[in-house]
Amino acid sequence: MTEQFNYCLDITNDVCPMTFVRAKLLIEKMTAGQVAEIRLQGTEPLTNVPKSLAELGHEIVSIQAEDGDAAHGPHRLVVRKK
């Protein structure tokens, strides 16, 4: 199954708080119902970005480790704008 994303953002090289700032700026330019895939890495971004987007009312569709290293490797966060 191939998912379709309206937007893709790679913030694996960014650190907090820029990870959330960049994710929020992307979500702000999207229209309701559109879906974004956000690549992120690190304990803080993995905790803060999905939590903060959910607090703003957006739907966290999924979050998955890319290579099975759930602790340190890059993850793919899929979010749908409210």
Side-chain angles (χ1 to χ4, degrees), residues 18-35:
M18 285 309 298
T19 52
F20 174 65
V21 170
R22 291 194 58 210
K24 185 176 181 215
L25 289 172
L26 172 68
I27 296 291
E28 287 176 353
K29 75 178 185 179
M30 294 167 56
T31 59
Q34 287 188 317
V35 178

Side-chain angles (χ1 to χ4, degrees), residues 13-76:
N13 291 321
D14 295 330
V15 294
C16 288
M18 285 309 298
T19 52
F20 174 65
V21 170
R22 291 194 58 210
K24 185 176 181 215
L25 289 172
L26 172 68
I27 296 291
E28 287 176 353
K29 75 178 185 179
M30 294 167 56
T31 59
Q34 287 188 317
V35 178
E37 178 188 58
I38 302 171
R39 290 184 75 235
L40 45 95
Q41 182 168 302
T43 304
E44 263 188 287
L46 281 169
T47 301
N48 296 337
V49 173
K51 178 183 172 199
S52 297
L53 292 176
E55 286 174 355
L56 292 174
H58 305 295
E59 176 189 355
I60 304 305
V61 177
S62 66
I63 186 163
Q64 272 189 309
E66 287 185 4
D67 60 7
D69 185 356
H72 302 289
H75 285 64
R76 292 183 184 272

